[in-house]
Amino acid sequence: MTKISVSMLASDSSKFGEEALRMQRAGVDFLHMDVMDGCFVPNISFGAGVIKAVHKVCDAPLDVHLMVNDPIRYAQDFAEAGASILTVHAECTPHLQRAVKFIQSLGVKAGVALNPATPLEELKWVMDDIDMILIMTVNPGFGGQKLIPATIEKTAQAAEMIRRSGRDIELEVDGGVAPATCAALREAGATMLVAGSALYGAPDAAEMLRILRGENK
């Protein structure tokens, strides 16, 4: 079954904990927490304190996406705040393998994210180490964007890389996930979809989850 990680960036920030609990009750698999520093991406979101607060009220595992420069500097704070998965951008560190191994040494899974124009070649030398690949299907920094069509083929190529590796690596996609795009992403090989506006804008979040997972055929 395709996993769904709900993007908390799309929630009502004045009711952050309540919104997280609502999505947990609807049946999401993960809460996707976009951490932005205003440098790597043109936006600022929230820090480890917010992650810790959500972790206190929710049992759903936290899928923490670090869109920050020098991610090693912050990894321990987010691990201690309750992250289950910490994902760093290949573009953000010259020592990607070191970052991955450091995150894993903190007792959490490590993912590597690639922006739409970043080649999959960046992953070649860390395939033996990573737990998850995150393909950005929009340019990061803001929610509500439309999926870039070329990233569907990129997702398929990433799925083939995983198959050839022989390892159990999660393949997550983030950006523009909606009823109109989810089937193509699943067919391309994505095992986890990050959805924000589609879920928070739906009158019935549980029904939207079934649609995104492909259960309403």
Side-chain angles (χ1 to χ4, degrees):
M1 182 180 72
T2 305
K3 301 181 184 73
I4 305 296
S5 188
V6 61
S7 176
M8 293 300 298
L9 196 66
S11 70
D12 181 345
S13 57
S14 70
K15 303 175 182 178
F16 211 66
E18 293 175 34
E19 295 280 67
L21 281 169
R22 179 163 74 89
M23 288 298 158
Q24 178 178 290
R25 293 182 187 119
V28 298
D29 300 285
F30 289 86
L31 301 177
H32 188 85
M33 313 291 282
D34 286 308
V35 177
M36 306 180 189
D37 64 358
C39 295
F40 177 63
V41 291
N43 199 1
I44 296 173
S45 58
F46 43 75
V50 170
I51 307 269
K52 185 176 182 179
V54 171
H55 183 56
K56 283 183 178 179
V57 298
C58 285
D59 297 325
L62 304 181
D63 170 22
V64 179
H65 179 190
L66 296 181
M67 288 178 269
V68 302
N69 289 326
D70 193 13
I72 293 178
R73 178 181 176 188
Y74 305 102
Q76 185 166 349
D77 288 342
F78 286 100
E80 292 175 352
S84 296
I85 304 171
L86 272 175
T87 299
V88 300
H89 272 261
E91 304 90 355
C92 287
T93 175
H95 307 294
L96 185 57
Q97 199 268 353
R98 181 186 298 170
V100 167
K101 299 310 286 185
F102 178 68
I103 289 168
Q104 291 167 338
S105 77
L106 299 171
V108 300
K109 292 184 177 181
V112 173
L114 299 179
N115 283 342
T118 301
L120 290 169
E121 178 73 13
E122 295 286 332
L123 298 172
K124 182 177 180 179
W125 307 109
V126 293
M127 289 297 290
D128 288 339
D129 302 299
I130 56 180
D131 300 299
M132 184 170 77
I133 295 170
L134 170 54
I135 301 295
M136 291 302 301
T137 44
V138 299
N139 289 297
F142 298 94
Q145 300 181 64
K146 291 185 178 180
L147 179 141
I148 298 169
T151 58
I152 295 175
E153 173 59 24
K154 186 177 183 181
T155 300
Q157 291 178 14
E160 176 60 18
M161 285 181 68
I162 291 171
R163 188 193 67 76
R164 291 198 307 267
S165 77
R167 299 189 63 243
D168 184 18
I169 299 172
E170 198 82 68
L171 180 55
E172 183 176 49
V173 295
D174 183 2
V177 173
T181 59
C182 61
L185 292 168
R186 292 194 308 267
E187 289 167 9
T191 59
M192 186 186 298
L193 305 178
V194 178
S197 302
L199 279 167
Y200 278 108
D204 186 336
E207 176 65 14
M208 179 56 66
L209 282 170
R210 287 190 284 272
I211 293 170
L212 296 176
R213 288 176 176 138
E215 296 174 349
N216 282 24
K217 296 181 179 179

